[in-house]
Amino acid sequence: MATITTTSFSGDMLEIIAFRLHDQEFCVKTTTIREIRGWAPSTPIPHSPADVIGVMNLRGSVIPIIDLAYKLGMSSTIANERSAIVVAEVHNMVIGMLVDRVSDILTIGSNQVQPVPEVTASFDRAFCEGIIASENGMICFLNLAKMFKEQDGEDLAA
């Protein structure tokens, strides 16, 4: 029998930043976000992982830019003037994530985050911390620490 794991968030309130990838809404905790930048072309890196678009200069530091939609198994994002780079710090590494657009910054009760339902036995829920039902639809709560494991940082930095 499948078990449903509950999300464990400390505190009563969570601050999240919501963004769109294609027609879906996702969010992450604001504590992992350093800044949000408008889209600017990045420099491609030969033989980089498929989800790495390239690198950009962020005030003197070179950071990798990740196609977040591709990382999540969706079709690649085609950047345009509404696209944004969400700069996050994960495992002491700074990365930029390409999103279609930033939707909102919200404060929600931790009790609003519901567990991800079991889809199939082979379904990997590791990237998704939970689901938030909002008046505008469902928001998938991403876990950046699990999406970008520490060895990924070494691959991106190489």
Side-chain angles (χ1 to χ4, degrees):
M1 180 167 183
T3 58
I4 295 177
T5 57
T6 57
T7 54
S8 57
F9 292 106
S10 58
D12 295 329
M13 303 303 283
L14 293 169
E15 283 196 1
I16 59 171
I17 181 168
F19 50 86
R20 292 193 75 76
L21 292 171
H22 303 299
D23 292 328
Q24 296 180 36
E25 198 86 15
F26 295 88
C27 70
V28 295
K29 290 180 188 176
T30 57
T31 53
T32 61
I33 304 303
R34 280 194 163 187
E35 65 183 88
I36 300 165
R37 302 178 54 96
W39 168 248
S42 58
T43 303
I45 301 294
H47 304 290
S48 61
D51 60 335
V52 177
I53 298 168
V55 294
M56 70 179 284
N57 183 345
L58 182 67
R59 289 183 296 287
S61 295
V62 177
I63 65 168
I65 305 300
I66 308 299
D67 182 343
L68 193 56
Y70 188 88
K71 177 91 174 165
L72 292 171
M74 305 164 76
S75 61
S76 290
T77 298
I78 299 171
N80 59 43
E81 66 279 349
R82 294 191 62 169
S83 298
I85 303 289
V86 177
V87 180
E89 185 169 341
V90 185
H91 303 297
N92 296 316
M93 177 187 67
V94 178
I95 59 168
M97 300 177 294
L98 173 63
V99 300
D100 289 336
R101 65 183 169 90
V102 173
S103 310
D104 214 343
I105 296 175
L106 305 166
T107 302
I108 62 163
S110 58
N111 62 342
Q112 290 180 262
V113 182
Q114 299 177 30
V116 179
E118 187 75 37
V119 178
T120 66
S122 63
F123 175 60
D124 183 8
R125 295 184 307 218
F127 290 177
C128 189
E129 193 81 28
I131 300 290
I132 302 165
S134 74
E135 59 275 355
N136 299 329
M138 305 293 250
I139 304 172
C140 180
F141 200 115
L142 297 176
N143 184 325
L144 295 180
K146 290 182 180 173
M147 284 180 67
F148 300 98
K149 294 181 175 68
E150 291 188 64
Q151 74 265 17
D152 288 349
E154 294 166 12
D155 294 343
L156 293 174

